[in-house]
Amino acid sequence: MSQKYQAPKGVSEYFPPRSSIFELAIEHLKRPALAAGYQLMELPIFEDTEVFSRGVGESTDVVSKEMYTFEDRGGRSLTLRPEGTAGVMRAVIEHNLDRGQLPLKVFYTGPFFRAERPQAGRYRQFFQFGIEAIGVEDPYLDAEVISVAWHGYRSLGLKNFTLKVGSLGDAPSRTAHRNELVKYISSLKLDEETKNRAAKNPLRLFDDKRPEIKVLMAKAPLLLDYLNEKSKENFESVQEILSNQKIEFVVDPMMVRGLDYYTGTTFEFDHGDLGAQSGIGGGGRYDGLMETLGGQSLSGIGFGLGVDRIILAMEAEGVAPTNRNYLDLFVIPLGESAKSIGYSIVESVRKSGFVADLAFGERSLKGAMKAADHRMAHYVLVIGDDEVGSGTAQLKKMSDGSTSSVTLTSLVDALKKLSTRP
Ligand code: HAM
């Protein structure tokens, strides 16, 4: 026996029948984005390592511990994308997309890579659906981005999720807070590694999972208390617009996103049934990212939603469909001439938009009927020599076993009349 292989540790994979939920999730998440004028951005899975190390920030776990970085054959350092925003910004700058109409509104979906410790809902290759709106600062745009995510979840039938919003303010607000926070942190007894992290970005300590650090940080100065008038007004506007849209949220003064580029409005969606990995999406505004990556000084806002976790959440809430893989028609030919006719019937039915399949191979009638059941066929057509001779056959409705006589040449019309498709 030759060696059997396994997928690399911690990757998420989708295959039938569950892959249909994956497809559905993407379809639904995309809908509100398309409705709001976001357009597809299809980008490389790997980028120059610096796009992430500079864009996402050296102080983050993502950059310091979790990147899949490798040298290509030309000695260039490349990294499998751990997130989408920095790559979008690189492409926007490279292709001058910021010189056209603003905001530039794009969406993307695909695999992302982080070398995290795998567990339920946390993978090393995972999938995100994301949007970015670049080049305009307007609280209505912040609210729109949040609302696109919210409507995406709702359209999948999800209910048990909460939205947290926060604000990191503008640069002067952050400087005022940072000064006080650094003062506070320097008064604490911390190990060297933690001190180093704090030196790179003191906000990171709010994100520290260790209970002893949590206790210390519970008394730390909060950014929300340092927002200047402009930032405060902006944050209040975002909240007001969300409230008017009947989008429920809580303000989380301790929210620190895991990536360094955030400024202004930030937000996270948590799902109540997912345990430790409850974050089903998050995002925020990023004022400095474009400049950091060599572009002009334009702000942007966006989100990334974790498709894998959304699927787990749909399953937990019992809203994941189980019958997406139905067939409108399953044709069972008995004999060679029946097969040739059956094959053309299936082809023409498919062209009319029905989902149809043929019993391939040499199957017994019993085996083929079982397959029809298994494939969730709505109708079955058995064609034998008699049917070939007469040009008519019995169309069997699987839900109640009733049959109706149909002419093989007008099967499409018959199906159109009978169709009970959801
Ligand atoms: P993020 O919060 O790092 O943000 O990731 C967004 C979402 O991706 C998370 O809420 C989670 O659902 C999912 N996710 C992250 N890591 C994993 C993992 N290891 N396994 C499974 N799911 C995961 C970003 O990535 C930003 N680029 C979002 C953004 C766009 N901000 C502005 N624009």
Side-chain angles (χ1 to χ4, degrees):
M1 274 254 281
S2 57
Q3 164 88 37
K4 272 194 192 161
Y5 297 98
Q6 290 179 331
K9 196 175 166 206
V11 299
S12 70
E13 298 185 291
Y14 297 92
F15 35 85
R18 201 166 171 253
S19 51
S20 66
I21 308 173
F22 181 89
E23 260 189 307
L24 181 87
I26 305 281
E27 254 169 64
H28 280 248
L29 294 174
K30 217 189 267 183
R31 246 179 239 169
L34 288 168
Y38 289 77
Q39 292 179 290
L40 177 69
M41 192 93 156
E42 195 62 73
L43 295 177
I45 302 284
F46 51 83
E47 295 272 357
D48 188 324
T49 298
E50 280 193 18
V51 169
F52 304 116
S53 58
R54 298 187 53 203
V56 174
E58 301 277 2
S59 83
T60 62
D61 279 355
V62 168
V63 168
S64 62
K65 300 184 196 153
E66 298 169 358
M67 294 210 298
Y68 284 101
T69 297
F70 60 98
E71 236 181 47
D72 74 358
R73 285 160 197 269
R76 287 168 285 256
S77 177
L78 298 174
T79 293
L80 297 184
R81 62 183 187 188
E83 63 95 52
T85 316
V88 166
M89 225 23 137
R90 187 274 306 149
V92 167
I93 299 166
E94 180 175 348
H95 305 295
N96 295 319
L97 305 180
D98 53 329
R99 310 284 162 176
Q101 271 302 311
L102 297 176
L104 171 68
K105 289 174 156 189
V106 296
F107 73 87
Y108 50 87
T109 176
F112 293 85
F113 307 85
R114 296 182 192 176
E116 297 194 79
R117 194 197 299 251
Q119 63 177 87
R122 187 164 72 192
Y123 310 106
R124 292 183 170 173
Q125 175 174 327
F126 58 98
F127 292 85
Q128 272 190 9
F129 172 76
I131 72 171
E132 312 291 344
I134 296 158
V136 172
E137 279 183 72
D138 183 338
Y140 278 92
L141 191 57
D142 297 25
E144 173 184 285
V145 166
I146 294 172
S147 129
V148 166
W150 194 87
H151 286 295
Y153 297 133
R154 291 307 291 248
S155 105
L156 284 168
L158 292 176
K159 291 202 176 79
N160 190 15
F161 64 88
T162 48
L163 164 64
K164 295 181 298 191
V165 297
S167 174
L168 295 173
D170 60 6
S173 307
R174 280 194 305 281
T175 309
H177 172 248
R178 192 185 168 109
N179 291 341
E180 290 309 306
L181 184 61
V182 167
K183 237 187 259 168
Y184 176 77
I185 290 175
S186 64
S187 74
L188 304 175
K189 276 208 180 79
L190 297 170
D191 58 90
E192 278 309 304
E193 198 193 323
T194 312
K195 272 191 204 157
N196 288 340
R197 283 185 88 204
K200 282 183 189 150
N201 181 355
L203 289 177
R204 283 270 88 83
L205 294 205
F206 282 112
D207 216 11
D208 203 304
K209 302 282 178 293
R210 290 171 294 177
E212 63 278 19
I213 306 286
K214 274 188 185 297
V215 170
L216 295 173
M217 293 310 284
K219 293 195 197 109
L222 293 171
L223 217 164
L224 280 189
D225 297 328
Y226 290 78
L227 295 186
N228 58 19
E229 272 316 299
K230 190 173 152 232
S231 297
K232 210 187 278 173
E233 260 173 34
N234 202 348
F235 187 40
E236 276 162 11
S237 300
V238 174
Q239 294 178 55
E240 201 181 308
I241 303 161
L242 290 175
S243 299
N244 290 342
Q245 278 184 279
K246 307 266 178 297
I247 292 181
E248 281 176 28
F249 60 87
V250 290
V251 172
D252 181 357
M254 301 279 277
M255 182 170 25
V256 182
R257 304 272 303 125
L259 315 169
D260 271 354
Y261 49 60
Y262 290 110
T263 61
T265 307
T266 52
F267 55 92
E268 277 175 356
F269 290 92
D270 280 317
H271 195 274
D273 302 333
L274 294 188
Q277 303 304 317
S278 62
I280 54 170
R285 196 162 266 289
Y286 39 87
D287 286 341
L289 179 60
M290 192 174 226
E291 252 184 319
T292 307
L293 293 176
Q296 55 172 330
S297 163
L298 283 181
S299 175
I301 177 158
F303 65 62
L305 313 184
V307 177
D308 313 272
R309 293 182 190 174
I310 289 171
I311 291 169
L312 292 172
M314 287 166 67
E315 289 167 338
E317 284 202 46
V319 295
T322 48
N323 61 350
R324 275 204 112 207
N325 298 299
Y326 67 89
L327 290 175
D328 291 304
L329 178 68
F330 191 59
V331 176
I332 304 175
L334 306 170
E336 268 316 297
S337 52
K339 194 176 235 179
S340 156
I341 292 177
Y343 187 74
S344 341
I345 288 177
V346 162
E347 290 267 284
S348 68
V349 164
R350 285 175 181 165
K351 274 187 210 141
S352 302
F354 291 102
V355 185
D357 211 349
L358 188 73
F360 290 104
E362 299 302 320
R363 287 241 184 104
S364 68
L365 180 57
K366 199 172 156 209
M369 285 306 287
K370 245 192 201 165
D373 239 359
H374 193 72
R375 300 281 302 277
M376 288 183 277
H378 292 173
Y379 289 95
V380 168
L381 189 74
V382 181
I383 314 175
D385 289 341
D386 287 353
E387 286 76 12
V388 173
S390 67
T392 59
Q394 298 298 314
L395 190 63
K396 182 172 180 180
K397 186 173 183 182
M398 294 299 276
S399 58
D400 60 10
S402 63
T403 55
S404 46
S405 183
V406 289
T407 356
L408 296 180
T409 47
S410 61
L411 197 72
V412 170
D413 293 334
L415 275 180
K416 277 186 185 154
K417 277 196 205 115
L418 291 170
S419 182
T420 55
R421 221 150 115 187

Short mmCIF file of all heavy atoms in Angstrom, two decimals, residues 281-331:
data_model
loop_
_atom_site.label_atom_id
_atom_site.label_comp_id
_atom_site.label_asym_id
_atom_site.label_seq_id
_atom_site.Cartn_x
_atom_site.Cartn_y
_atom_site.Cartn_z
N GLY A 281 -16.29 38.41 12.77
CA GLY A 281 -15.91 39.46 11.84
C GLY A 281 -15.46 40.69 12.58
O GLY A 281 -15.77 40.87 13.76
N GLY A 282 -14.69 41.52 11.90
CA GLY A 282 -14.26 42.75 12.55
C GLY A 282 -13.61 43.67 11.53
O GLY A 282 -13.27 43.25 10.42
N GLY A 283 -13.48 44.92 11.92
CA GLY A 283 -12.86 45.86 11.01
C GLY A 283 -12.75 47.23 11.62
O GLY A 283 -12.86 47.40 12.84
N GLY A 284 -12.56 48.21 10.77
CA GLY A 284 -12.44 49.57 11.26
C GLY A 284 -11.78 50.46 10.25
O GLY A 284 -11.48 50.05 9.11
N ARG A 285 -11.55 51.70 10.68
CA ARG A 285 -10.94 52.70 9.82
C ARG A 285 -9.41 52.64 9.97
O ARG A 285 -8.91 52.24 11.02
CB ARG A 285 -11.48 54.08 10.24
CG ARG A 285 -11.25 55.15 9.24
CD ARG A 285 -12.13 56.35 9.46
NE ARG A 285 -13.35 56.29 8.67
CZ ARG A 285 -13.42 56.45 7.34
NH1 ARG A 285 -12.31 56.65 6.64
NH2 ARG A 285 -14.56 56.37 6.70
N TYR A 286 -8.74 52.98 8.90
CA TYR A 286 -7.26 52.98 8.93
C TYR A 286 -6.76 54.21 8.19
O TYR A 286 -6.71 54.24 6.99
CB TYR A 286 -6.71 51.68 8.32
CG TYR A 286 -7.46 51.18 7.10
CD1 TYR A 286 -7.14 51.63 5.83
CD2 TYR A 286 -8.51 50.27 7.23
CE1 TYR A 286 -7.85 51.20 4.72
CE2 TYR A 286 -9.23 49.84 6.12
CZ TYR A 286 -8.89 50.31 4.87
OH TYR A 286 -9.60 49.89 3.76
N ASP A 287 -6.40 55.24 8.97
CA ASP A 287 -6.00 56.52 8.38
C ASP A 287 -4.61 56.50 7.76
O ASP A 287 -4.37 57.13 6.75
CB ASP A 287 -6.03 57.63 9.44
CG ASP A 287 -7.45 58.04 9.77
OD1 ASP A 287 -8.35 57.74 8.96
OD2 ASP A 287 -7.66 58.64 10.84
N GLY A 288 -3.68 55.79 8.39
CA GLY A 288 -2.28 55.95 7.97
C GLY A 288 -1.77 54.86 7.05
O GLY A 288 -0.66 54.95 6.52
N LEU A 289 -2.58 53.84 6.82
CA LEU A 289 -2.08 52.65 6.11
C LEU A 289 -1.57 52.98 4.70
O LEU A 289 -0.50 52.52 4.30
CB LEU A 289 -3.18 51.58 6.04
CG LEU A 289 -2.82 50.29 5.32
CD1 LEU A 289 -1.63 49.59 5.99
CD2 LEU A 289 -4.01 49.34 5.27
N MET A 290 -2.32 53.79 3.99
CA MET A 290 -1.94 54.06 2.61
C MET A 290 -0.58 54.77 2.55
O MET A 290 0.27 54.41 1.72
CB MET A 290 -3.00 54.92 1.94
CG MET A 290 -2.81 55.00 0.46
SD MET A 290 -4.18 55.89 -0.25
CE MET A 290 -4.56 54.85 -1.59
N GLU A 291 -0.38 55.72 3.44
CA GLU A 291 0.90 56.43 3.48
C GLU A 291 2.03 55.49 3.88
O GLU A 291 3.11 55.50 3.31
CB GLU A 291 0.83 57.59 4.46
CG GLU A 291 0.80 58.94 3.78
CD GLU A 291 0.83 60.07 4.79
OE1 GLU A 291 0.15 59.95 5.84
OE2 GLU A 291 1.55 61.06 4.54
N THR A 292 1.77 54.67 4.89
CA THR A 292 2.78 53.70 5.35
C THR A 292 3.25 52.83 4.19
O THR A 292 4.41 52.43 4.13
CB THR A 292 2.19 52.77 6.44
OG1 THR A 292 1.64 53.59 7.45
CG2 THR A 292 3.22 51.84 7.03
N LEU A 293 2.34 52.53 3.26
CA LEU A 293 2.71 51.65 2.15
C LEU A 293 3.13 52.44 0.91
O LEU A 293 3.14 51.91 -0.20
CB LEU A 293 1.56 50.69 1.84
CG LEU A 293 1.26 49.66 2.94
CD1 LEU A 293 0.06 48.81 2.58
CD2 LEU A 293 2.47 48.76 3.20
N GLY A 294 3.43 53.73 1.12
CA GLY A 294 4.02 54.51 0.03
C GLY A 294 3.03 55.26 -0.83
O GLY A 294 3.38 55.76 -1.90
N GLY A 295 1.78 55.35 -0.40
CA GLY A 295 0.77 56.06 -1.20
C GLY A 295 0.48 57.43 -0.62
O GLY A 295 1.17 57.90 0.28
N GLN A 296 -0.58 58.05 -1.16
CA GLN A 296 -0.97 59.35 -0.62
C GLN A 296 -1.68 59.14 0.71
O GLN A 296 -1.93 58.02 1.14
CB GLN A 296 -1.83 60.11 -1.62
CG GLN A 296 -3.07 59.38 -2.09
CD GLN A 296 -3.99 60.27 -2.93
OE1 GLN A 296 -4.04 61.47 -2.75
NE2 GLN A 296 -4.71 59.67 -3.87
N SER A 297 -2.00 60.27 1.36
CA SER A 297 -2.60 60.16 2.67
C SER A 297 -4.12 60.12 2.56
O SER A 297 -4.78 61.13 2.62
CB SER A 297 -2.15 61.37 3.50
OG SER A 297 -2.96 61.52 4.61
N LEU A 298 -4.64 58.91 2.35
CA LEU A 298 -6.09 58.75 2.27
C LEU A 298 -6.53 57.73 3.31
O LEU A 298 -5.84 56.76 3.56
CB LEU A 298 -6.49 58.23 0.89
CG LEU A 298 -6.52 59.20 -0.28
CD1 LEU A 298 -6.97 58.46 -1.54
CD2 LEU A 298 -7.45 60.37 0.01
N SER A 299 -7.68 57.99 3.86
CA SER A 299 -8.21 57.08 4.87
C SER A 299 -9.03 55.98 4.21
O SER A 299 -9.42 56.09 3.04
CB SER A 299 -9.10 57.89 5.82
OG SER A 299 -9.71 57.04 6.74
N GLY A 300 -9.28 54.93 4.94
CA GLY A 300 -10.15 53.87 4.43
C GLY A 300 -10.85 53.20 5.59
O GLY A 300 -10.49 53.41 6.75
N ILE A 301 -11.87 52.42 5.26
CA ILE A 301 -12.53 51.62 6.30
C ILE A 301 -13.02 50.32 5.67
O ILE A 301 -13.37 50.31 4.49
CB ILE A 301 -13.70 52.38 6.98
CG1 ILE A 301 -14.40 51.48 8.00
CG2 ILE A 301 -14.70 52.94 5.97
CD1 ILE A 301 -15.18 52.19 9.07
N GLY A 302 -12.98 49.24 6.45
CA GLY A 302 -13.42 47.97 5.88
C GLY A 302 -13.60 46.94 6.96
O GLY A 302 -13.48 47.22 8.16
N PHE A 303 -13.91 45.73 6.52
CA PHE A 303 -14.03 44.62 7.47
C PHE A 303 -13.56 43.33 6.84
O PHE A 303 -13.44 43.22 5.61
CB PHE A 303 -15.47 44.46 7.97
CG PHE A 303 -16.50 44.08 6.92
CD1 PHE A 303 -16.42 42.88 6.20
CD2 PHE A 303 -17.58 44.91 6.67
CE1 PHE A 303 -17.38 42.53 5.25
CE2 PHE A 303 -18.55 44.57 5.72
CZ PHE A 303 -18.44 43.38 5.01
N GLY A 304 -13.28 42.34 7.69
CA GLY A 304 -13.03 40.97 7.25
C GLY A 304 -13.94 40.08 8.07
O GLY A 304 -13.99 40.21 9.30
N LEU A 305 -14.72 39.23 7.39
CA LEU A 305 -15.61 38.33 8.10
C LEU A 305 -15.08 36.90 7.97
O LEU A 305 -14.68 36.49 6.88
CB LEU A 305 -17.04 38.40 7.54
CG LEU A 305 -17.63 39.80 7.32
CD1 LEU A 305 -19.08 39.68 6.85
CD2 LEU A 305 -17.54 40.65 8.57
N GLY A 306 -15.06 36.17 9.06
CA GLY A 306 -14.53 34.80 9.05
C GLY A 306 -15.58 33.82 8.56
O GLY A 306 -16.49 33.47 9.30
N VAL A 307 -15.42 33.39 7.31
CA VAL A 307 -16.44 32.53 6.69
C VAL A 307 -16.55 31.19 7.43
O VAL A 307 -17.65 30.69 7.66
CB VAL A 307 -16.12 32.30 5.19
CG1 VAL A 307 -17.12 31.36 4.55
CG2 VAL A 307 -16.07 33.63 4.46
N ASP A 308 -15.42 30.63 7.86
CA ASP A 308 -15.45 29.33 8.57
C ASP A 308 -16.29 29.43 9.84
O ASP A 308 -17.09 28.56 10.15
CB ASP A 308 -14.03 28.89 8.93
CG ASP A 308 -13.08 29.03 7.76
OD1 ASP A 308 -12.97 28.08 6.98
OD2 ASP A 308 -12.47 30.12 7.62
N ARG A 309 -16.07 30.51 10.56
CA ARG A 309 -16.81 30.68 11.83
C ARG A 309 -18.27 30.98 11.57
O ARG A 309 -19.14 30.60 12.35
CB ARG A 309 -16.17 31.79 12.66
CG ARG A 309 -14.79 31.40 13.14
CD ARG A 309 -14.18 32.47 14.00
NE ARG A 309 -12.78 32.17 14.24
CZ ARG A 309 -11.95 32.98 14.85
NH1 ARG A 309 -12.37 34.15 15.29
NH2 ARG A 309 -10.69 32.63 15.03
N ILE A 310 -18.55 31.68 10.47
CA ILE A 310 -19.94 31.99 10.12
C ILE A 310 -20.68 30.67 9.83
O ILE A 310 -21.82 30.48 10.24
CB ILE A 310 -19.99 32.95 8.91
CG1 ILE A 310 -19.51 34.33 9.37
CG2 ILE A 310 -21.38 33.03 8.31
CD1 ILE A 310 -19.28 35.33 8.26
N ILE A 311 -19.99 29.75 9.16
CA ILE A 311 -20.60 28.45 8.87
C ILE A 311 -20.87 27.68 10.17
O ILE A 311 -21.95 27.13 10.36
CB ILE A 311 -19.71 27.64 7.90
CG1 ILE A 311 -19.74 28.32 6.53
CG2 ILE A 311 -20.15 26.19 7.80
CD1 ILE A 311 -18.71 27.80 5.55
N LEU A 312 -19.90 27.70 11.08
CA LEU A 312 -20.10 27.05 12.39
C LEU A 312 -21.29 27.68 13.11
O LEU A 312 -22.10 27.00 13.73
CB LEU A 312 -18.84 27.16 13.25
CG LEU A 312 -17.62 26.37 12.76
CD1 LEU A 312 -16.39 26.72 13.60
CD2 LEU A 312 -17.89 24.87 12.79
N ALA A 313 -21.39 29.02 13.01
CA ALA A 313 -22.48 29.73 13.67
C ALA A 313 -23.83 29.36 13.05
O ALA A 313 -24.82 29.16 13.76
CB ALA A 313 -22.25 31.24 13.57
N MET A 314 -23.85 29.23 11.72
CA MET A 314 -25.10 28.83 11.05
C MET A 314 -25.51 27.44 11.49
O MET A 314 -26.70 27.18 11.74
CB MET A 314 -24.90 28.83 9.52
CG MET A 314 -24.81 30.22 8.91
SD MET A 314 -24.18 30.14 7.22
CE MET A 314 -25.54 29.31 6.38
N GLU A 315 -24.53 26.56 11.62
CA GLU A 315 -24.85 25.19 12.05
C GLU A 315 -25.33 25.20 13.50
O GLU A 315 -26.29 24.52 13.85
CB GLU A 315 -23.63 24.28 11.85
CG GLU A 315 -23.40 24.01 10.36
CD GLU A 315 -22.05 23.37 10.03
OE1 GLU A 315 -21.11 23.48 10.85
OE2 GLU A 315 -21.94 22.79 8.95
N ALA A 316 -24.69 26.02 14.33
CA ALA A 316 -25.08 26.09 15.74
C ALA A 316 -26.50 26.65 15.90
O ALA A 316 -27.26 26.21 16.75
CB ALA A 316 -24.08 26.95 16.52
N GLU A 317 -26.85 27.61 15.05
CA GLU A 317 -28.20 28.19 15.14
C GLU A 317 -29.24 27.38 14.36
O GLU A 317 -30.42 27.73 14.36
CB GLU A 317 -28.19 29.64 14.61
CG GLU A 317 -27.60 30.64 15.56
CD GLU A 317 -28.08 32.07 15.26
OE1 GLU A 317 -29.29 32.27 15.07
OE2 GLU A 317 -27.22 32.97 15.23
N GLY A 318 -28.78 26.33 13.68
CA GLY A 318 -29.71 25.50 12.90
C GLY A 318 -30.26 26.21 11.67
O GLY A 318 -31.36 25.91 11.23
N VAL A 319 -29.50 27.13 11.11
CA VAL A 319 -29.98 27.82 9.91
C VAL A 319 -29.19 27.43 8.65
O VAL A 319 -29.39 28.02 7.59
CB VAL A 319 -29.98 29.36 10.07
CG1 VAL A 319 -30.96 29.78 11.15
CG2 VAL A 319 -28.58 29.89 10.39
N ALA A 320 -28.30 26.43 8.80
CA ALA A 320 -27.54 25.98 7.63
C ALA A 320 -28.43 25.04 6.83
O ALA A 320 -28.96 24.07 7.38
CB ALA A 320 -26.27 25.26 8.08
N PRO A 321 -28.66 25.34 5.55
CA PRO A 321 -29.56 24.48 4.77
C PRO A 321 -28.96 23.10 4.57
O PRO A 321 -27.75 22.97 4.45
CB PRO A 321 -29.69 25.21 3.44
CG PRO A 321 -28.45 26.03 3.35
CD PRO A 321 -28.04 26.37 4.74
N THR A 322 -29.82 22.08 4.56
CA THR A 322 -29.28 20.72 4.36
C THR A 322 -29.65 20.20 2.98
O THR A 322 -29.16 19.18 2.56
CB THR A 322 -29.85 19.76 5.42
OG1 THR A 322 -31.26 19.97 5.46
CG2 THR A 322 -29.24 20.00 6.78
N ASN A 323 -30.55 20.91 2.29
CA ASN A 323 -31.03 20.34 1.02
C ASN A 323 -30.70 21.22 -0.18
O ASN A 323 -31.52 21.46 -1.02
CB ASN A 323 -32.54 20.12 1.09
CG ASN A 323 -33.26 21.43 1.32
OD1 ASN A 323 -32.62 22.44 1.62
ND2 ASN A 323 -34.57 21.43 1.17
N ARG A 324 -29.49 21.72 -0.24
CA ARG A 324 -29.12 22.56 -1.38
C ARG A 324 -28.73 21.74 -2.61
O ARG A 324 -28.67 22.25 -3.70
CB ARG A 324 -27.94 23.47 -1.01
CG ARG A 324 -28.37 24.73 -0.33
CD ARG A 324 -27.29 25.77 -0.55
NE ARG A 324 -27.75 26.84 -1.41
CZ ARG A 324 -26.94 27.56 -2.17
NH1 ARG A 324 -25.66 27.29 -2.22
NH2 ARG A 324 -27.40 28.53 -2.90
N ASN A 325 -28.43 20.46 -2.39
CA ASN A 325 -27.90 19.68 -3.50
C ASN A 325 -28.97 18.87 -4.22
O ASN A 325 -28.73 17.78 -4.66
CB ASN A 325 -26.80 18.75 -2.98
CG ASN A 325 -25.67 19.55 -2.40
OD1 ASN A 325 -25.05 20.33 -3.10
ND2 ASN A 325 -25.42 19.38 -1.12
N TYR A 326 -30.16 19.43 -4.32
CA TYR A 326 -31.25 18.72 -4.96
C TYR A 326 -31.05 18.64 -6.47
O TYR A 326 -30.25 19.39 -7.04
CB TYR A 326 -32.57 19.45 -4.67
CG TYR A 326 -32.60 20.79 -5.35
CD1 TYR A 326 -33.10 20.89 -6.64
CD2 TYR A 326 -32.10 21.90 -4.72
CE1 TYR A 326 -33.08 22.10 -7.30
CE2 TYR A 326 -32.07 23.11 -5.37
CZ TYR A 326 -32.57 23.21 -6.67
OH TYR A 326 -32.53 24.40 -7.31
N LEU A 327 -31.79 17.73 -7.08
CA LEU A 327 -31.87 17.68 -8.55
C LEU A 327 -33.32 17.92 -8.92
O LEU A 327 -34.23 17.41 -8.25
CB LEU A 327 -31.48 16.29 -9.05
CG LEU A 327 -30.04 15.82 -8.95
CD1 LEU A 327 -29.95 14.37 -9.40
CD2 LEU A 327 -29.16 16.70 -9.83
N ASP A 328 -33.57 18.68 -9.98
CA ASP A 328 -34.94 18.77 -10.48
C ASP A 328 -35.33 17.45 -11.13
O ASP A 328 -36.44 16.99 -10.98
CB ASP A 328 -35.05 19.90 -11.51
CG ASP A 328 -34.90 21.27 -10.87
OD1 ASP A 328 -35.66 21.57 -9.94
OD2 ASP A 328 -33.99 22.02 -11.28
N LEU A 329 -34.37 16.90 -11.85
CA LEU A 329 -34.69 15.68 -12.62
C LEU A 329 -33.52 14.70 -12.60
O LEU A 329 -32.37 15.09 -12.78
CB LEU A 329 -34.98 16.07 -14.08
CG LEU A 329 -35.28 14.92 -15.03
CD1 LEU A 329 -36.63 14.27 -14.69
CD2 LEU A 329 -35.27 15.40 -16.48
N PHE A 330 -33.85 13.43 -12.37
CA PHE A 330 -32.84 12.37 -12.49
C PHE A 330 -33.34 11.40 -13.54
O PHE A 330 -34.46 10.87 -13.42
CB PHE A 330 -32.67 11.68 -11.13
CG PHE A 330 -31.48 10.77 -11.07
CD1 PHE A 330 -30.19 11.26 -11.30
CD2 PHE A 330 -31.62 9.42 -10.77
CE1 PHE A 330 -29.08 10.42 -11.23
CE2 PHE A 330 -30.52 8.58 -10.70
CZ PHE A 330 -29.24 9.09 -10.92
N VAL A 331 -32.57 11.21 -14.59
CA VAL A 331 -32.99 10.34 -15.68
C VAL A 331 -32.30 8.99 -15.56
O VAL A 331 -31.08 8.91 -15.43
CB VAL A 331 -32.67 11.00 -17.05
CG1 VAL A 331 -33.01 10.04 -18.19
CG2 VAL A 331 -33.41 12.31 -17.19
#
